[in-house]
Amino acid sequence: MSTMSTHKLETQNITMKFGEETIIRDISIAVDRGELVSLLGVSGSGKTTLFNCISGIYQPSGGRVLLDGDDITGTTGHISYMLQKDLLLPYKTIEDNVGLPLLIRGMSKEEARKQASEHFEEFGLEGTQKKYPKQLSGGMRQRAALLRTYLFSDNVALLDEPFSALDTITKGKIHKWYLDVMEKINLTTVFITHDINEAILLSDRIYIMTGKPGEIRYEIRIDTPRSQRQGYDLTDEFMQYKRQIMGILEE
Amino acid sequence: MNKTGRFSNKIYPFISILAILALWEALSFFEIVPNFMLPSPQQTVQAFIGDFWLLMSHLKVTLLETVIGTLMGVSIGFLSAVLMDRWDPAYKAMYPIIVLTQTIPAVAIAPLLVLWFGYKMMPKVVLIVLITFFPIVVGVLDGFRSADKDAINLLRSMGASRWQIFRHIKFPNALPNFFSGLRITVAYSVVGAVLAEWLGGFAGLGVYMTRVKKSFAYDKMFAVIFLISIISLILIWLVSVLQKKCMPWEQVDEPVRKRDRNKVVKG
């Protein structure tokens, strides 16, 4: 495949071994600009290992990572991620937490704050600039963590089960909010989850991973556009997808 | 409700201190312990007032030694922790030695220091450096090492340099340990300075102490003991103030105040 690829983010045959053990094998995914793609799989299927390869924390044993067609395999500083743990630093205010990636890129503190604060309203965080993380609820903290991820990435975000620690009601709200924000900011997202409902509700496409070693077995496209997913989880179509996915996972 | 709680929190130690003072007064008033051995609280206060300026001039020397020694010990301790965190061979080589030095009691090494470095400021400062070094180096190193690995990885993914990871994760993570180390340290430092002065010197509270001891002026002895504990308390308090200044995030309240809820249940 040429480096003239038009995909925003692409992995080509990523394989990761630790010693003798192969954790993931031949993972090839492609994500287009503004697309939201989920990696769905049980724990231990190597989803997080793949993330670490994409973000550059790990140098994969084989394969390449392409961002806008450029080879970024094994290099950090291009793609950031967000975990279930919000990883907001308790000793920094929300604006400084959110602006941290900009600071790391060499921006001054004032500039970073200014640029971060431009997005606070969009992310429903207005008024929290000067607060510390412990003063915010779990849902708000995840929003702040998402804004940080967004400010860092070249419009690509990796999200590793970001909402799985939230209670059902907060989760429902944040899903709705997330779909709204995604629409506005046109972020390209790779989303790890083991929650089938969440995957169907939020994704354009779903890659289903099975282990071990972790490999991609199926790719499912959700036909209903993301903008029309209000109450989608109560429709027959949703249930059909769910049945299909459960069938695959049970194989 | 909260206010009365805070008030009663303060009243208990106040009562206990008052009780000890009363007991002390009674012991010397009824001469249960002979007066030359245990001066009364009043005599102690009188001795303190009578020798106030002399005490202050000695205090100046002791405080100077304490401040210099503590600053040096803290800096050396902090830098060693940075070195040991950054470079594993340094950790492996230095850590056992640092622990080993702590098994040597300060009381045992102080006379040697006086012998080696004379009667001036040097042996006092060296002793304080030895005393301060350990709690700082161990605390700070623990703080560096207990930094959240996921947070470090997140910063790495953002392309952070080693220095940036230190600046944004490791250093702030070590601050609570640093301050608890410093709090222990300042109190020990004063005692260390006094101890070294005891063993030989020209000025300082320890020197004053040996002089009044030789003249059996126990009231003055008590006065200087009190001065030393008051100074230690003030230094500990100063560290707390500094900590509050340096760690403002510790001062904010959480949305659900668990501590207050506990108080209500108890009350």
Side-chain angles (χ1 to χ4, degrees):
Chain A
M1 209 173 282
S2 78
T3 49
M4 294 298 287
S5 154
T6 52
H7 300 298
K8 180 74 189 170
L9 176 72
E10 193 178 352
T11 69
Q12 296 175 343
N13 308 97
I14 295 278
T15 298
M16 187 73 202
K17 291 178 185 170
F18 289 114
E20 289 298 297
E21 195 186 359
T22 306
I23 308 294
I24 49 175
R25 187 159 63 199
D26 274 339
I27 306 268
S28 296
I29 63 170
V31 191
D32 288 326
R33 199 173 304 276
E35 207 181 13
L36 195 155
V37 168
S38 284
L39 287 171
L40 180 67
V42 291
S43 332
S45 56
K47 300 177 301 239
T48 303
T49 305
L50 176 62
F51 258 39
N52 286 331
C53 289
I54 297 175
S55 64
I57 301 256
Y58 293 161
Q59 172 75 42
S61 316
R64 299 200 300 164
V65 181
L66 304 178
L67 178 68
D68 290 320
D70 296 328
D71 192 336
I72 57 159
T73 317
T75 60
T76 56
H78 301 283
I79 297 172
S80 186
Y81 56 84
M82 172 179 162
L83 307 179
Q84 178 186 329
K85 280 202 281 184
D86 55 62
L87 292 179
L88 295 173
L89 306 174
Y91 37 81
K92 284 183 188 289
T93 56
I94 297 300
E95 61 177 357
D96 286 344
N97 261 296
V98 166
L100 185 62
L102 304 174
L103 210 65
I104 283 173
R105 284 191 170 162
M107 211 178 262
S108 77
K109 209 170 191 172
E110 283 67 38
E111 268 180 281
R113 277 182 185 162
K114 193 164 160 275
Q115 193 165 328
S117 69
E118 284 167 15
H119 299 275
F120 267 67
E121 203 186 326
E122 201 167 32
F123 277 71
L125 286 164
E126 55 276 68
T128 62
Q129 276 93 332
K130 302 283 176 208
K131 290 197 168 153
Y132 287 100
K134 70 174 177 184
Q135 295 174 287
L136 265 57
S137 66
M140 290 295 269
R141 284 211 292 264
Q142 288 305 84
R143 289 180 185 203
L146 187 72
L147 176 52
R148 178 183 59 191
T149 313
Y150 170 64
L151 280 179
F152 167 70
S153 317
D154 281 331
N155 275 313
V156 183
L158 304 179
L159 309 181
D160 189 351
E161 302 188 355
F163 310 132
S164 60
L166 302 175
D167 63 86
T168 321
I169 293 169
T170 311
K171 203 170 173 177
K173 280 186 191 161
I174 210 160
H175 282 158
K176 185 181 170 302
W177 168 83
Y178 188 72
L179 288 170
D180 286 347
V181 170
M182 285 285 298
E183 201 64 31
K184 277 189 241 170
I185 61 181
N186 197 31
L187 189 66
T188 307
T189 311
V190 183
F191 195 98
I192 284 187
T193 182
H194 55 236
D195 180 338
I196 299 173
N197 292 354
E198 187 170 73
I200 302 171
L201 203 58
L202 299 180
S203 316
D204 295 308
R205 277 184 300 128
I206 302 171
Y207 288 108
I208 299 176
M209 273 181 92
T210 54
K212 310 173 165 182
E215 284 175 305
I216 287 176
R217 288 288 153 78
Y218 289 91
E219 184 188 334
I220 292 172
R221 181 175 292 279
I222 309 291
D223 289 325
T224 305
R226 280 208 315 266
S227 53
Q228 297 166 26
R229 301 270 176 91
Q230 293 290 339
Y232 185 60
D233 48 351
L234 301 172
T235 62
D236 286 342
E237 192 185 299
F238 182 93
M239 289 313 288
Q240 269 169 19
Y241 282 126
K242 191 168 176 177
R243 242 175 261 131
Q244 185 190 354
I245 292 169
M246 285 170 85
I248 295 166
L249 287 173
E250 276 164 20
E251 270 174 24
Chain B
M1 203 166 175
N2 209 353
K3 270 195 175 164
T4 51
R6 238 175 258 163
F7 178 69
S8 62
N9 276 349
K10 274 183 186 158
I11 200 112
Y12 290 121
F14 188 70
I15 289 171
S16 63
I17 289 169
L18 220 62
I20 291 170
L21 279 174
L23 180 69
W24 178 13
E25 181 70 51
L27 283 175
S28 61
F29 184 80
F30 296 109
E31 301 220 14
I32 301 167
V33 179
N35 189 256
F36 74 90
M37 283 171 77
L38 183 72
S40 72
Q42 281 159 310
Q43 285 169 318
T44 306
V45 172
Q46 274 161 6
F48 183 79
I49 294 168
D51 259 5
F52 183 77
W53 293 112
L54 185 61
L55 277 168
M56 288 304 121
S57 72
H58 284 295
L59 175 64
K60 214 164 68 186
V61 176
T62 307
L63 267 185
L64 189 65
E65 292 160 359
T66 308
V67 170
I68 294 174
T70 307
L71 285 180
M72 281 176 67
V74 167
S75 320
I76 297 171
F78 188 84
L79 290 176
S80 307
V82 172
L83 184 72
M84 285 158 76
D85 177 64
R86 175 73 210 267
W87 199 45
D88 208 46
Y91 173 78
K92 283 177 183 146
M94 285 167 73
Y95 201 80
I97 294 173
I98 290 172
V99 174
L100 208 65
T101 58
Q102 288 309 299
T103 59
I104 306 166
V107 191
I109 201 156
L112 276 176
L113 293 176
V114 174
L115 203 65
W116 290 337
F117 300 112
Y119 292 107
K120 289 191 178 161
M121 200 175 263
M122 190 66 167
K124 286 92 177 173
V125 170
V126 172
L127 186 69
I128 295 169
V129 169
L130 289 176
I131 293 172
T132 12
F133 179 74
F134 186 73
I136 295 293
V137 82
V138 172
V140 170
L141 193 61
D142 272 356
F144 288 161
R145 299 206 148 204
S146 67
D148 189 340
K149 295 280 177 295
D150 289 327
I152 292 175
N153 269 343
L154 181 73
L155 258 75
R156 280 178 58 203
S157 82
M158 294 175 182
S161 62
R162 263 176 184 271
W163 159 248
Q164 285 173 322
I165 287 171
F166 178 80
R167 161 82 188 73
H168 294 293
I169 308 264
K170 290 193 166 184
F171 178 74
N173 199 60
L175 273 180
N177 299 28
F178 173 78
F179 279 108
S180 38
L182 191 61
R183 211 170 306 134
I184 306 169
T185 273
V186 289
Y188 284 176
S189 298
V190 181
V191 176
V194 171
L195 177 71
E197 287 162 0
W198 250 82
L199 295 164
F202 302 114
L205 292 175
V207 174
Y208 175 87
M209 238 170 160
T210 51
R211 285 179 192 160
V212 296
K213 196 193 109 211
K214 277 176 194 153
S215 56
F216 298 102
Y218 284 103
D219 52 346
K220 289 180 181 177
M221 193 82 175
F222 269 72
V224 73
I225 291 170
F226 273 94
L227 182 58
I228 290 167
S229 30
I230 287 164
I231 292 302
S232 301
L233 284 176
I234 290 173
L235 288 175
I236 292 169
W237 173 76
L238 280 176
V239 171
S240 307
V241 171
L242 190 67
Q243 180 170 15
K244 278 182 187 166
K245 274 253 184 268
C246 294
M247 301 170 65
W249 59 91
E250 294 278 301
Q251 304 309 311
V252 296
D253 281 318
E254 291 171 44
V256 183
R257 295 206 246 166
K258 285 175 191 155
R259 280 165 295 150
D260 288 4
R261 205 168 49 195
N262 287 345
K263 256 182 203 162
V264 171
V265 171
K266 267 186 201 164

